[in-house]
Each structure stands twice: as C-alpha cells, then as structure tokens.
C-alpha cells in the first residue's frame, strides 16, 4: 500500500469495521495480519518479463479480479477501491447492493476537456487492435473503463479542488463528489533553521509533467546570486536535454533519498510548477517544514496565493522566474508565508484530518447507495 491507501485502511481498522484489505504488500505493524490479503506472491508475477507499464497493468487487473471474487463470496458491507483497478469489483458491488467509494488519485480521465465517450482516434485504435496481435495493448485500463468506474461508484473521493473541477466539467454530479484532500506526518516534517543561502527545493519525479524543465529554464533566467536549486527525485531520460541546456553550477541533483525532510529543512522556499496533479504530497511536506510554496494551482490545495506562497501558471517560464526573484528579495515576507503554510497543514492536512474526511465519505456513500 502507498501512504494514502494505508491511511484509508487505518481509518477503517481504528473504526472497528475493516473486513479485509487486498493489496500486493504492506509494511506496517498496526493492522492485524488476519485482516490483510497480501498478493505479494501472486500468479501475475508470471508476467514480470513484460516492461514495467504492461506488468503494472497486469497486476492491477489481477487485484481487481481478486477483490471482486472476495466481494462475491459475501460477508462484506462496503467497498473502497482505487481508480483504474476496481472496475469488476464495482460491478459486483452494484449487483450486491454494497455501497462503494472510489479514490481518484488525480484528475478526471478527460483532464478538464469535454470529450465524447469514444473519440474517433480511440475507435480507430480499438478496431486496429482486434485479435491477439497487439494483446499487450489490451492490458491497460481504457478511458471508457475509467468512465464506467466513475459511474459505478456511489461516491468519488476527490484529492483536491482542481481535481473536482475536472469532474464537474465532465458532467459528473457534484453530489457524487466528496473532498478528502491529503495528509502529512507533521512530526516527521517540521520546520528547521533558515539557511543563509537562498536555497529552493523541488521533490518528485524529474519529468516534464511536473514542470521541471520549466523550473530549470526559469532558474537560469532568474540569475540569482548566492542561491541554489536542489532537485530531489529520480532523473528521467526526457529531462537530460534540459539539464544540458539550462543546468548551471548552482543546480544540485540530490537523487532519491529516504530523508526528504532533511533536504526540505535546508531550503528557504519550495518550487513545484506541475501542470497536472491530484494533490502533490511534496507540497504538503514542504509546507509542514515551514516552506513558502511557489506552485501552480494544478499542484493541489497547499498553495494559497499571498498566504502560503505564490501561485504561478503552468508552463510559464517568465512568471516562475519573476516569482523566484521576488522570493529571493523578500525573504521576510516569504518566511511569514512559510509559517502560515505550517499552520494551515496543522489545521487541515494532518493524516487525522484525512481519515476523518474519508469516514464522512463512507457515510455519504451509505446514504446514497444504488442497487441494480
């Protein structure tokens, strides 16, 4: 389980009503092992020879199949699944009249655009992929299956306001949406002493979707003195040309680390110019460390313009460069925003807050369950 799904399971466990958690593996000590069905050694591992994307798709389909069979056996009164890996289980839940919620980790599959159920491009691809010749293409969950999941679940759990907006744009009834946000460990992520050097951090996969190429170009354009940009995360191949073009001596690649909090505490501000996120956990971790955010609204709900940081537009090099210059020349102002960011996290985005919102979503689903 990832952190968010584990916290969801803990909410059920501590509430005294967790029937069974079906997952690939789990590293925790609180939930009784008798309540966890681990698929760590599963038949899908026979497909491990596939590339990572296809193998992951096989695992998700196997997880869905197993969960649907468990639900079919009876003894369960509620289902909580994740988008992209619970279509069959949601069908079974609807047939049985079992209330269901589905976690949506990011935006609506249409990504804020208005699309028909099947586009011309998708129709041509479906016809071209008939038969066994392109069997791997059939492994990945299609957009149509995602849309069916949205319809089948009684309540959709929204990670952020921006995510909810993409569902409203797609025509999903607002009554079906329930905001859960995200959480962060405020004990692990705590403010440190402000460094003398103006150091800006980024945490996450070093990819274009997260705007790292924009950050590199903006950093070079800003031309800040006695400053450093620290990139924490796995460097993807697509980013190497941008590093060669815009990388400078004051850009440090920190790689992947288990001590993210240490890197954050050594920073003055946190930059996250992503163009599409559900709710980037790194923004909450940075806020919990008392860092002001220079981020897009698309990154999640941690950045509030003029309060917890500066809101920038995605793919806006000039705007990001201007924000970096402003942050470097107004450190007292930014430090106050960092204090407000920490306060906001303590008041709204701890894991206790997340679990409470989740249980409210469960109650909402039970009130509006639909039966076939």
């Amino acid at each position: 389980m990832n952190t968010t799904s584990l916290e969801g399971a803990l909410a059920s466990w501590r509430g005294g009503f967790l029937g069974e958690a079906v997952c690939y593996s789990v590293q925790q000590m609180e939930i009784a092992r008798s309540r966890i069905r681990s698929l760590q050694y599963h038949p899908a591992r026979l497909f491990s020879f596939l590339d990572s994307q296809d193998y992951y798709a096989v695992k998700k389909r196997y997880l869905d199949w197993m969960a649907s069979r468990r639900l079919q056996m009876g003894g369960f009164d509620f289902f909580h699944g994740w988008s992209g890996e619970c279509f069959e289980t949601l069908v079974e839940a609807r047939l049985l009249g079992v209330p269901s919620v589905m976690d949506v980790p990011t935006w609506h599959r249409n990504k804020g655009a208005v699309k028909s159920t099947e586009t011309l491009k998708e129709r041509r691809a479906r016809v071209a992929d008939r038969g066994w010749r392109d069997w791997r293409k059939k492994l990945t969950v299609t957009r149509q299956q995602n849309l069916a999941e949205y319809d089948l679940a009684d309540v959709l759990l929204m990670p952020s306001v921006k995510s909810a907006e993409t569902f409203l744009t797609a025509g999903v009834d607002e009554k079906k949406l329930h905001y859960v946000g995200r959480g962060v460990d405020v004990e692990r992520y705590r403010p440190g002493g402000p460094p003398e050097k103006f150091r800006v951090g980024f945490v996450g996969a070093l990819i274009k979707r997260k705007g790292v190429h924009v950050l590199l170009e903006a950093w070079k354009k800003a031309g800040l003195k006695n400053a450093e940009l620290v990139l924490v995360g796995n460097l993807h191949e697509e980013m190497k040309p941008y590093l060669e073009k815009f990388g400078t001596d004051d850009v440090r690649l920190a790689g992947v680390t288990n001590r993210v909090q240490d890197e954050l505490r050594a920073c003055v501000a946190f930059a996250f110019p992503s163009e599409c996120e559900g709710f980037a956990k790194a923004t909450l971790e940075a806020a919990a460390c008392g860092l002001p955010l220079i981020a897009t609204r698309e990154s999640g709900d941690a950045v509030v313009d003029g309060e917890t940081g500066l809101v920038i537009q995605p793919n806006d090099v000039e705007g990001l460069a201007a924000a970096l210059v402003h942050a470097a020349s107004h450190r007292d102002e930014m430090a106050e925003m960092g204090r407000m960011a920490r306060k906001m996290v303590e008041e709204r985005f701890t894991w206790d807050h997340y679990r409470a919102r989740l249980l409210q979503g469960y109650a909402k689903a039970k009130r509006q369950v639909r039966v076939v």
Side-chain angles (χ1 to χ4, degrees), residues 198 224 322-334:
F198 180 74
L224 302 174
L324 291 169
V325 171
H326 179 89
S329 57
H330 297 79
R331 289 187 59 168
D332 289 343
E333 173 191 321
M334 298 302 288

Side-chain angles (χ1 to χ4, degrees), residues 21-73:
V22 183
C23 57
Y24 287 112
S25 63
V26 60
Q27 297 177 344
Q28 59 84 45
M29 302 297 293
E30 183 174 342
I31 301 175
R33 297 296 298 179
S34 61
R35 296 294 184 183
I36 299 176
R37 178 169 291 271
S38 173
L39 306 181
Q40 186 171 4
Y41 302 103
H42 50 82
R45 295 185 69 175
L46 296 173
F47 291 84
S48 60
F49 65 89
L50 297 173
D51 61 42
S52 58
Q53 182 177 350
D54 290 336
Y55 181 45
Y56 186 50
V58 171
K59 290 171 65 177
K60 290 200 294 185
R61 286 187 177 272
Y62 180 71
L63 177 67
D64 188 14
W65 178 84
M66 178 60 73
S68 66
R69 298 290 80 79
R70 295 296 296 164
L71 195 62
Q72 191 178 54
M73 291 172 63

Side-chain angles (χ1 to χ4, degrees), residues 296-339:
T296 58
R297 186 166 172 267
E298 287 76 4
S299 69
D301 301 334
V303 58
V304 179
D305 196 38
E307 295 184 25
T308 64
L310 305 174
V311 172
I312 56 173
Q313 297 301 312
N315 300 306
D316 182 2
V317 173
E318 296 289 342
L320 178 52
L324 291 169
V325 171
H326 179 89
S329 57
H330 297 79
R331 289 187 59 168
D332 289 343
E333 173 191 321
M334 298 302 288
E336 179 57 29
M337 289 184 184
R339 286 188 285 271

Side-chain angles (χ1 to χ4, degrees), residues 68 106 128 169 191 207-208 258 262 274 308 346 363:
S68 66
T106 183
T169 299
I207 56 177
K208 292 179 70 174
N258 292 326
D262 293 342
S274 179
T308 64
E346 292 175 331

